[in-house]
Amino acid sequence: MRNLFTSGRPFRLVPYFFLLSLLLMAGATVLMAGNLRHYSGEQLLKLEKSRAASLVQIFENSLWADFRPLLPLARDRARLKQVAGQPRLREAVIRLMRGTDVIRVKMYALNGITLFSTDPGQIGEDESDDDGFRSAAVGTPASELAHNHSIDAFERTLTDRDIISTYVPMHDPAGKIEGVLEIYLDATSFVVDSDRQLRWVTLAICALMAVLFLAQMLVVRLAGRIIDRQAAALSETNRELDNRVAARTWELANANANLEGEIQERRRAEERLDHLAHHDPLTGLPNRLLFQKRLSRALSVPDLPAYKLAMLFIDLDRFKDVNDTLGHYIGDQLLNAVAARLASSMRAEDMLARLGGDEFICVLENIANRDVAADVAGKLLALFQQPFCINGNDLYLSVSIGISFASHDGADVDTLLRHADIAM
């Protein structure tokens, strides 16, 4: 019997589980950390967008009257730089934004031309292809976070800063969009603090994953040991079962051999009994029982023609004198010799039988006519012209033969036998 646990290469549960769990937990940790970073950035932009909207409202309330005259100059860049570059405008914006995280302010016309910037060199630039500007120009504020290695603030240059730029639409008293204001906010401290918190959260997630991984490994190792023990027990059970099956198979094979021998012996015994039941024990010729069965079967053929089957009744003359004078032993030997001589003259399809004592019967089947039976009887009579040599003595015998024919003299065994006896 094949052992499922020992056939082929064994399945190594613990190493496979270790690699799979490690990969899954590492992937889960990276995914959660990425989602936290993304969520943190989104929240920061949302917060700063709200702050920028408040600052724009302050700008509109305080300075928009001073900056609205710049709108008609969007198509005259030379005049625009002359007017927008006045120090008083820049100083007014710096005073308004002092004490906040704002480090730069820019104002755009609806065609994308920079009408004002706290960096005078940017006045007149075309920003119409900027996605944030286009979004704010149609009424939707937009923000983006970027890391700058160097950026000019109001009064100084800042390095390695995380800057959030927010585009907010400017409205006239009727609520119509007149321009776009871009406010740059320094979010470095918030980003640094957020990164620090994110690192701690990531470390906490990694620690929890490690604890979970170790707990799973302990459970799997325990399960692996249990499976190994069960596999060993099953293997031992399979070996015992194989041994039992082999022993049982051997026993069955021997039993089958013995049974086959008994069957053969019984068959031979049955054949011997059948032979004894249907044959003469002295001469080995068919006895009266077999003779009657054979003749009855031959007579059962429908519409059997006359003279097609003949019965020869053979009787040894004065055989009793042989038994009385020479003894039954010589008589039995003489009967064997007579049976052998008669049988040698029979056809293969004919039957010679001994009825008992000195009486023999010969059944001739499929003969052409009654003369054939007479010829056979003459041949049998001729056999007795030669003496029988028994124990060195020549014994002469004569026989009497009577013939009866099926359908002519009778249609059953007893009738034919009686007519043949009468004819003898």
Side-chain angles (χ1 to χ4, degrees):
M1 181 178 294
R2 185 179 179 185
N3 192 332
L4 296 179
F5 288 91
T6 59
S7 60
R9 298 182 60 184
F11 179 73
R12 303 176 64 188
L13 175 64
V14 175
Y16 290 155
F17 181 82
F18 172 81
L19 292 177
L20 181 60
S21 298
L22 188 61
L23 291 175
L24 290 177
M25 290 185 178
T29 302
V30 172
L31 183 61
M32 285 190 289
N35 286 336
L36 285 174
R37 179 176 291 277
H38 177 73
Y39 177 76
S40 176
E42 290 292 329
Q43 291 297 109
L44 176 62
L45 291 178
K46 184 177 179 180
L47 176 62
E48 295 304 323
K49 191 182 296 183
S50 176
R51 290 179 59 195
S54 299
L55 292 172
V56 169
Q57 187 63 46
I58 295 174
F59 182 85
E60 286 182 348
N61 296 337
S62 303
L63 300 177
W64 185 235
D66 296 330
F67 283 87
R68 181 178 283 113
L70 298 177
L71 295 175
L73 302 178
R75 291 180 174 82
D76 188 353
R77 296 190 180 184
R79 178 64 178 163
L80 176 63
K81 287 186 178 183
Q82 181 181 0
V83 176
Q86 296 177 16
R88 66 179 184 84
L89 295 179
R90 184 173 183 273
E91 291 173 358
V93 171
I94 292 174
R95 285 195 303 270
L96 181 64
M97 299 301 174
R98 182 173 290 119
T100 66
D101 293 332
V102 178
I103 61 174
R104 181 182 293 178
V105 176
K106 295 175 68 175
M107 177 180 147
Y108 303 96
L110 292 180
N111 62 356
I113 299 300
T114 304
L115 299 177
F116 173 79
S117 175
T118 52
D119 182 0
Q122 296 178 338
I123 297 174
E125 293 180 351
D126 188 357
E127 299 290 339
S128 59
D129 59 346
D130 187 275
D131 293 336
F133 164 78
R134 288 201 297 267
S135 176
V138 296
T140 303
S143 298
E144 63 179 8
L145 175 65
H147 183 79
N148 294 78
H149 294 289
S150 177
I151 186 171
D152 292 331
F154 293 142
E155 299 173 345
R156 64 190 186 280
T157 298
L158 303 177
T159 57
D160 291 326
R161 294 288 174 168
D162 293 298
I163 306 300
I164 295 178
S165 59
T166 303
Y167 295 85
V168 182
M170 305 289 294
H171 301 83
D172 62 10
K176 181 180 178 182
I177 298 176
E178 292 183 296
V180 174
L181 188 68
E182 182 183 9
I183 298 179
Y184 289 76
L185 298 173
D186 185 3
T188 304
S189 59
F190 184 86
V191 171
V192 170
D193 184 63
S194 177
D195 287 343
R196 185 184 303 110
Q197 295 296 327
L198 183 62
R199 282 194 296 272
W200 280 109
V201 172
T202 303
L203 289 176
I205 293 175
C206 292
L208 290 176
M209 288 295 181
V211 172
L212 178 61
F213 176 75
L214 292 176
Q216 289 181 336
M217 284 298 299
L218 291 176
V219 172
V220 171
R221 287 179 64 86
L222 179 60
R225 293 192 184 98
I226 294 174
I227 292 175
D228 290 339
R229 288 197 297 270
Q230 292 177 345
L234 182 58
S235 299
E236 182 63 26
T237 302
N238 285 337
R239 282 193 294 270
E240 293 179 359
L241 183 58
D242 289 340
N243 294 334
R244 292 179 182 177
V245 170
R248 184 59 179 167
T249 302
W250 181 82
E251 292 175 358
L252 289 176
N254 289 340
N256 288 336
N258 295 334
L259 181 60
E260 184 65 24
E262 292 178 2
I263 292 174
Q264 294 294 335
E265 183 62 29
R266 178 168 295 185
R267 186 178 293 116
R268 287 191 293 269
E270 290 176 353
E271 291 175 354
R272 288 195 298 270
L273 290 175
D274 182 74
H275 186 272
L276 292 175
H278 294 88
H279 290 80
D280 178 42
L282 178 62
T283 62
L285 294 176
N287 58 12
R288 180 185 292 271
L289 179 60
L290 183 56
F291 153 72
Q292 289 178 338
K293 289 183 179 180
R294 174 78 175 270
L295 185 56
S296 296
R297 186 167 60 251
L299 293 173
S300 65
V301 177
D303 300 328
L304 182 65
Y307 306 112
K308 195 68 174 177
L309 185 148
M311 177 192 297
L312 278 63
F313 195 114
I314 305 170
D315 183 69
L316 302 182
D317 298 334
R318 295 183 300 278
F319 180 74
K320 185 176 180 300
D321 295 339
V322 175
N323 284 334
D324 293 340
T325 57
L326 300 178
H328 288 280
Y329 175 75
I330 298 299
D332 290 342
Q333 289 185 317
L334 180 58
L335 287 174
N336 278 327
V338 169
R341 187 173 294 184
L342 291 174
S344 64
S345 299
M346 295 291 102
R347 298 180 304 173
E349 64 268 26
D350 298 334
M351 182 180 73
L352 179 66
R354 182 189 177 204
L355 295 184
D358 57 355
E359 296 176 341
F360 295 88
I361 289 292
C362 179
V363 179
L364 305 178
E365 297 185 62
N366 298 319
I367 58 177
N369 49 55
R370 62 187 301 166
D371 294 336
V372 174
D375 292 341
V376 173
K379 291 179 180 179
L380 295 180
L381 291 173
L383 293 176
F384 289 86
Q385 293 178 2
Q386 299 296 327
F388 294 89
C389 183
I390 306 299
N391 284 350
N393 299 315
D394 291 334
L395 302 178
Y396 289 88
L397 281 177
S398 61
V399 296
S400 299
I401 300 176
I403 304 174
S404 62
F405 295 93
S407 299
H408 180 270
D409 297 318
D412 59 82
V413 176
D414 292 337
T415 302
L416 287 176
L417 191 60
R418 187 173 63 253
H419 281 85
D421 189 17
I422 294 172
M424 181 188 66

